[in-house]
Amino acid sequence: METGGISKLTLQRLPTYLSYLRTLPQEEGAAISAAAIASALGLGEVQVRKDLATVSDAGKPKVGYLIADLMRDLEHFLGYGTRNRAVLIGVGNLGLALLSYGGFADYGLNIVAAFDNKSALIGSAVDGRPVLDIQALPAFCQKEKIQIGILTVPASAAQGCLNALVEGGVRAVWNFAPVHLTAPEGVLVQRENMASSLALLSYHLKQAERPAENGSVQPRGARPRIADEKTKNGGSRHG
């Protein structure tokens, strides 16, 4: 079950449900109740039911949720079944840590290359990913069809790097720089914890390519509707 709009807070909780379900014994036909999920995660049962109803029909009366089916629905909704190609900009301490992290595959993220402006780093590799000259960023993103950009650069360099990513056709940016960034309509900039940020980015990309009700494909530049409580109250859409 999919919906064209979803609360940002709900979207941030979905990876938590999936992570918890993955810790349970994967026995055939195993089920779990909303009350059990709520108790394990310290959430309200009504909230859990409401969140899961936005993404899955796996719940059965007097049975609960079939764990395998619920996991499948969550993975599909969050886009974890496919790999989003990404680049990382800024090979400092944080950038090196992210490049070396092996758990991104669980969130559907595949970092294919890194970029920097330091000559000592250009031409090297980190865990098999090449470190390239920042000047080549837009062309590389266009050629390799990069979907996500990860910014681990100083605040002073972040906006310029974002602009280069946008020039290269990137529509989703995970920003670690401590600065507000301005992006054009159709580009999502997100600064949050790992699971929540990747959930938002994956959903944004997935919804942008989702066939419309009349059978046509939503334009690549269109912005899917992600309901954000802060935005409703006049907050900024870009982190």
Side-chain angles (χ1 to χ4, degrees):
M1 177 186 298
E2 295 188 359
T3 178
I6 184 172
S7 161
K8 179 178 178 180
L9 295 178
T10 294
L11 191 54
Q12 289 175 327
R13 286 188 290 266
L14 296 182
T16 303
Y17 298 135
L18 181 57
S19 295
Y20 171 66
L21 293 173
R22 284 173 171 170
T23 68
L24 301 177
Q26 302 301 309
E27 300 174 358
E28 184 176 353
I32 188 171
S33 67
I37 296 174
S39 176
L41 299 178
L43 299 171
E45 181 178 348
V46 173
Q47 184 67 72
V48 170
R49 291 184 184 277
K50 182 178 179 181
D51 288 347
L52 296 181
T54 65
V55 301
S56 177
D57 291 320
K60 306 296 181 182
K62 298 182 180 181
V63 175
Y65 296 92
L66 298 178
I67 294 174
D69 291 348
L70 183 55
M71 288 177 57
R72 179 201 62 214
D73 291 345
L74 284 165
E75 290 172 345
H76 176 73
F77 188 85
L78 294 171
Y80 291 174
T82 58
R83 292 288 179 265
N84 294 317
R85 293 169 63 79
V87 292
L88 181 143
I89 302 93
V91 191
N93 291 334
L94 177 56
L96 285 171
L98 294 178
L99 286 170
S100 301
Y101 178 62
F104 283 131
D106 292 337
Y107 303 111
L109 186 72
N110 177 26
I111 302 176
V112 300
F115 290 82
D116 207 288
N117 62 359
K118 299 182 182 65
S119 58
L121 293 172
I122 296 170
S124 64
V126 180
D127 278 3
R129 286 113 167 185
V131 179
L132 307 175
D133 191 328
I134 189 67
Q135 298 299 323
L137 179 59
F140 181 91
C141 290
Q142 289 179 348
K143 179 181 178 181
E144 299 298 327
K145 295 180 170 51
I146 300 301
Q147 298 163 300
I148 297 176
I150 305 171
L151 294 180
T152 55
V153 297
S156 59
Q159 186 64 56
C161 291
L162 172 63
N163 295 343
L165 288 168
V166 172
E167 182 183 345
V170 173
R171 295 178 289 115
V173 177
W174 191 12
N175 176 36
F176 286 87
V179 62
H180 172 82
L181 299 177
T182 302
E185 195 71 16
V187 175
L188 178 65
V189 179
Q190 182 63 33
R191 285 187 64 240
E192 295 190 62
N193 67 64
M194 184 185 301
S196 297
S197 296
L198 287 175
L200 284 167
L201 296 175
S202 295
Y203 179 74
H204 174 81
L205 294 170
K206 182 173 180 291
Q207 288 296 104
E209 300 296 340
R210 184 174 64 87
E213 292 183 0
N214 63 4
S216 62
V217 176
Q218 188 173 352
R220 292 183 61 85
R223 182 187 182 90
R225 293 184 292 114
I226 299 179
D228 182 344
E229 286 80 2
K230 294 181 180 179
T231 300
K232 291 179 181 178
N233 294 324
S236 172
R237 289 176 300 171
H238 302 295

